Amino acid sequence: MNEDFEPATAQSEFGSEDDDSQDSDFYDHDVDNLDDDTNSNIDDDDDAAEMEDDGMMVSDNFDPYQGPEWDDDCEDMDNYLAKLYKNGEVYKEEEFGKIEIKPWQIFTEKQHLRDTMRDYCIQNRFSIVVQKANNKIYTVLCSDQRCPWRLHGSVLADGVSWAIKSITGDHTCLGLQTRNPMVSAKWAQRVLLEDIRAHNDIPGKALNKLLFERYGVTLPKSTIHRMKSEALVEIHGGFDVSYSYLPRYCEVVRQTNPTSSAHCIWNSAQHPERPLGFSSIFISFRACLDGLFAGCRGLIGVDGTFLKGNYGGVLLSAMALDGNNEMFPVSWAIVLAEDDECWRFFIYHLKSVLVSSDRGDNWCIISDRHKSIDKACNEIWPTVDRRYCCKHLSVNFKGVFPRPKMWQLFWLAANATSDFIFGKAMKQMEKVKAGARVWLSHLGEQSRWSKHQFNPAFKCDVNNTNFVESFNATLGTDRARPVMTLLEGIRRVSMVRMAIRRESCEKWDRQDICPNIVKRWPETQAPEIGPPAFRRGVGRPTKNRKRGEEEQRKGKRSKTIKCGICGQFGHNKLTCQRAPTRKQKKGKEKKAEGAATTSKKGKKKAQ
């Protein structure tokens, strides 16, 4: 509220909750007299209060519900309310620009009255200050001290409904042409909640545009982003609260999807740093496992992607390839970090759900060369076949052997389907740069990265983990949402993919089998766990995945702009990382000046 316009007795909050709790700190107004007042000196007779030993006591015998508008025979409550609603008018919601208020409009509750008043003030470009407000009375004035406009409302006999009793004076102020203090983040959240619900990723600039087009107002950029964050919390729930639901969520998964794998791990109550803090969760639905065992290849891709919420974390996922070489979700987990312990947790539970099939250990896991994945597989599942993602290998290989010819020869050897082609590529690689074959030998067996040695039993020659990263990309902004929203988003994506494909394959008519499913959460003995340590960094968190060095960037800039220093596309010489620094430039300038002076001295001596 603008303090320049506040009267000495006015409050600086617009209808705050503290106003409602001060039942005995305000004098009751004479409603009949308030309706006749035309100046700011109101209730002068009510200002006399007696101070006693036990505190302040208000001396006022006025009954606001006695007057000419009430009949003497309305002693019964039903007759009273009937008379009230007959004389009054229940407020009807109107679109912005057509809002009108008048005496004896009835509102469902006090908050309804306050919200309507705020909309009315923003519509007519003026602001108000609360003069008196408690559980029975609500009186506001125009914020301009020279304006006589005043509104008085009070609660009705039912104790819930409120009504405007009087509106006195006309607005003599010029209105607010720049910034209206009635436009707050809470108001913007209320009027834009459905827009944010429909588009969770809507930018702040678009929200400000909606406010201007609909209401003729704007908010600062920081206020818009704070409002959007609070709206997302109202839609999806808080980050910390969602962790407490995870033990019960696992119980629901096991009860509604029998033989599914759902395990949640949390710290003990005696943990020195985070008692009952979240540690990890693993989910694998029976429907996904049945589809994997029935019609998918034996290649399982595993990868991790960082979460963008307040508490950080990593999403570990395992994807398979179906008969059409399209990704098929198998299992996923949320852990604190991508370390040895978390990967052991994931590989252990992944093994437990895969070896239960008829294939046993006849599976192949493909991933990047993360050391924790290799350790987990060697310790927990040493008999499983392994492959490395050649896309990640090529980046590491190019860092050691940066020549374009070596890049081509690497992919020729990786995609070789016969010993002859593989041998020719390796010999040519050794001629171009000695030591390349030694570097490749450190990867282990050739069956881990070259197609000509792949196990034919898996009937799959895929040598990259693009299908796993594609699944992470389908989650979109769910990675920036609370963990419950993320888990439900993954379940929904998996369910929709399987349902659509089954329907398209079998031409299935589902109109006759659409049961009404009621989700019931069982009562369990699991404790209410808390979130892990807060890990959100400074600044706005990134939503998109960080692309690798050799990956193509989005937009035309990555193809059209070429650097004049390093010759690479995607940037110019001003933003080139290989460009000389200021110190290096100054050093070159000094050397050039020194060389120029020495050359001049030499010429003079020669003359």
Side-chain angles (χ1 to χ4, degrees):
M1 189 59 60
N2 194 338
E3 296 180 357
D4 297 337
F5 293 141
E6 288 189 10
T9 59
Q11 299 178 20
S12 59
E13 295 285 334
F14 177 74
S16 63
E17 297 298 331
D18 296 337
D19 298 333
D20 297 343
S21 62
Q22 299 176 1
D23 298 338
S24 61
D25 294 345
F26 297 99
Y27 299 106
D28 293 332
H29 292 295
D30 188 330
V31 177
D32 297 335
N33 293 336
L34 285 174
D35 296 341
D36 298 331
D37 287 338
T38 58
N39 52 48
S40 60
N41 296 325
I42 58 175
D43 299 334
D44 293 336
D45 296 334
D46 293 340
D47 290 336
E50 297 180 0
M51 298 297 297
E52 296 188 354
D53 295 337
D54 55 350
M56 178 180 291
M57 182 179 69
V58 178
S59 177
D60 195 346
N61 297 324
F62 173 72
D63 187 358
Y65 304 111
Q66 290 183 2
E69 62 270 26
W70 312 110
D71 294 335
D72 296 333
D73 57 350
C74 291
E75 297 179 357
D76 185 72
M77 180 61 68
D78 295 336
N79 296 334
Y80 170 79
L81 293 177
K83 181 67 175 178
L84 171 66
Y85 284 95
K86 182 179 180 181
N87 294 337
E89 177 184 351
V90 178
Y91 176 78
K92 296 181 179 180
E93 298 291 341
E94 297 287 349
E95 63 180 4
F96 192 83
K98 299 181 180 180
I99 302 175
E100 295 182 359
I101 58 173
K102 54 186 177 181
W104 286 108
Q105 279 183 330
I106 301 173
F107 300 86
T108 57
E109 57 181 353
K110 183 180 180 181
Q111 187 62 40
H112 186 200
L113 172 60
R114 293 166 59 187
D115 292 342
T116 304
M117 279 302 306
R118 188 178 287 271
D119 294 340
Y120 180 75
C121 293
I122 296 173
Q123 171 186 288
N124 293 276
R125 297 184 178 277
F126 73 95
S127 61
I128 58 177
V129 291
V130 179
Q131 187 185 38
K132 292 186 179 181
N134 54 28
N135 291 339
K136 294 182 179 181
I137 291 177
Y138 180 71
T139 304
V140 294
L141 307 172
C142 180
S143 60
D144 191 344
Q145 295 181 355
R146 298 163 295 181
C147 181
W149 185 90
R150 171 180 167 275
L151 179 142
H152 173 73
S154 63
V155 68
L156 300 181
D158 60 359
V160 179
S161 304
W162 283 66
I164 298 176
K165 295 298 182 65
S166 64
I167 301 177
T168 59
D170 295 328
H171 277 289
T172 59
C173 56
L174 300 177
L176 301 174
Q177 302 298 328
T178 55
R179 180 182 178 275
N180 193 338
M182 306 299 295
V183 181
S184 61
K186 189 175 182 180
W187 172 83
Q189 176 184 342
R190 174 168 59 86
V191 298
L192 297 177
L193 184 63
E194 296 305 320
D195 298 284
I196 299 176
R197 190 192 304 275
H199 306 283
N200 288 174
D201 234 11
I202 183 172
K205 187 176 181 180
L207 291 174
N208 242 341
K209 185 178 180 181
L210 290 177
L211 285 176
F212 185 77
E213 292 176 351
R214 296 177 184 176
Y215 311 103
V217 297
T218 57
L219 284 173
K221 185 182 297 185
S222 59
T223 306
I224 280 287
H225 288 293
R226 185 177 74 251
M227 177 273 297
K228 180 183 174 182
S229 301
E230 294 175 355
L232 291 175
V233 170
E234 182 177 347
I235 295 171
H236 300 292
F239 285 90
D240 50 350
V241 178
S242 62
Y243 284 96
S244 63
Y245 296 146
L246 295 182
R248 299 178 61 192
Y249 180 77
C250 293
E251 292 290 339
V252 170
V253 171
R254 288 193 291 265
Q255 291 188 14
T256 57
N257 298 266
T259 68
S260 296
S261 180
H263 306 279
C264 182
I265 309 299
W266 59 86
N267 299 333
S268 63
Q270 291 77 29
H271 194 274
E273 297 180 358
R274 301 288 301 180
L276 297 179
F278 169 78
S279 178
S280 53
I281 185 173
F282 178 90
I283 301 293
S284 183
F285 287 96
R286 172 48 55 181
C288 297
L289 298 177
D290 291 342
L292 172 67
F293 301 153
C296 291
R297 307 179 189 275
L299 181 68
I300 305 295
V302 297
D303 193 19
T305 179
F306 290 98
L307 303 182
K308 307 298 183 179
N310 291 346
Y311 297 96
V314 178
L315 173 67
L316 306 180
S317 53
M319 296 290 119
L321 292 174
D322 58 13
N324 200 29
N325 276 344
E326 296 182 357
M327 64 179 181
F328 188 89
V330 177
S331 59
W332 47 90
I334 296 178
V335 295
L336 299 181
E338 209 171 353
D339 53 13
D340 296 348
E341 181 180 357
C342 294
W343 273 112
R344 289 194 195 97
F345 167 82
F346 184 72
I347 296 298
Y348 172 82
H349 289 287
L350 180 63
K351 176 186 176 182
S352 63
V353 297
L354 293 182
V355 298
S356 60
S357 66
D358 297 336
R359 303 185 191 182
D361 291 335
N362 295 326
W363 299 92
C364 180
I365 295 180
I366 182 172
S367 66
D368 55 15
R369 291 185 63 202
H370 199 287
K371 295 181 179 180
S372 298
I373 301 179
D374 287 337
K375 289 181 180 180
C377 291
N378 293 334
E379 295 177 7
I380 297 175
W381 205 356
T383 57
V384 71
D385 199 356
R386 290 281 286 122
R387 290 184 191 177
Y388 290 141
C389 175
C390 290
K391 188 174 182 180
H392 291 84
L393 288 180
S394 64
V395 176
N396 299 333
F397 184 80
K398 188 177 181 179
V400 182
F401 308 100
R403 296 184 182 182
K405 184 65 174 179
M406 297 295 291
W407 172 272
Q408 296 176 356
L409 292 175
F410 170 82
W411 279 109
L412 182 62
N415 294 327
T417 56
S418 64
D419 294 337
F420 176 76
I421 298 177
F422 178 79
K424 293 283 287 183
M426 296 300 290
K427 290 180 181 179
Q428 188 67 20
M429 192 182 300
E430 190 66 21
K431 291 181 181 179
V432 176
K433 182 66 175 179
R437 299 184 65 173
V438 177
W439 188 91
L440 292 173
S441 65
H442 293 161
L443 300 178
E445 299 178 357
Q446 296 177 0
S447 60
R448 296 194 172 190
W449 62 278
S450 182
K451 289 185 178 181
H452 79 289
Q453 289 291 339
F454 283 174
N455 189 347
F458 301 119
K459 300 179 177 60
C460 184
D461 63 347
V462 174
N463 60 358
N464 57 66
T465 57
N466 290 348
F467 61 100
V468 190
E469 296 180 359
S470 298
F471 172 78
N472 296 333
T474 59
L475 301 179
T477 58
D478 282 344
R479 291 191 296 149
R481 303 287 176 257
V483 290
M484 276 299 304
T485 304
L486 172 62
L487 292 174
E488 281 296 283
I490 297 175
R491 182 192 63 83
R492 183 170 57 252
V493 168
S494 304
M495 178 184 65
V496 170
R497 288 181 65 88
M498 290 189 290
I500 292 177
R501 292 184 181 183
R502 181 167 182 172
E503 184 177 3
S504 61
C505 293
E506 301 180 1
K507 304 298 181 182
W508 187 28
D509 186 6
R510 302 182 56 185
Q511 295 180 356
D512 56 340
I513 46 174
C514 293
N516 294 324
I517 301 175
V518 180
K519 186 177 180 181
R520 298 181 178 180
W521 289 63
E523 295 294 335
T524 63
Q525 301 298 326
E528 183 174 339
I529 64 176
F534 193 87
R535 293 187 178 184
R536 184 169 181 174
V538 179
R540 190 184 306 174
T542 58
K543 302 294 180 63
N544 298 325
R545 180 180 63 87
K546 292 184 179 180
R547 296 178 178 266
E549 181 181 354
E550 300 300 328
E551 292 186 80
Q552 184 177 347
R553 267 56 176 177
K554 290 184 179 181
K556 297 182 179 179
R557 185 181 180 88
S558 61
K559 299 179 181 179
T560 57
I561 297 180
K562 185 177 181 180
C563 179
I565 297 177
C566 63
Q568 299 294 329
F569 288 92
H571 64 276
N572 53 25
K573 61 181 181 180
L574 296 177
T575 58
C576 182
Q577 295 182 355
R578 300 182 183 179
T581 60
R582 292 182 179 179
K583 292 183 178 180
Q584 293 175 345
K585 289 182 180 180
K586 290 182 179 180
K588 290 182 180 180
E589 292 176 357
K590 290 181 179 180
K591 289 182 180 179
E593 292 176 358
T597 53
T598 53
S599 62
K600 290 180 180 179
K601 292 179 180 179
K603 290 181 181 180
K604 290 181 179 180
K605 290 181 179 180
Q607 292 176 356

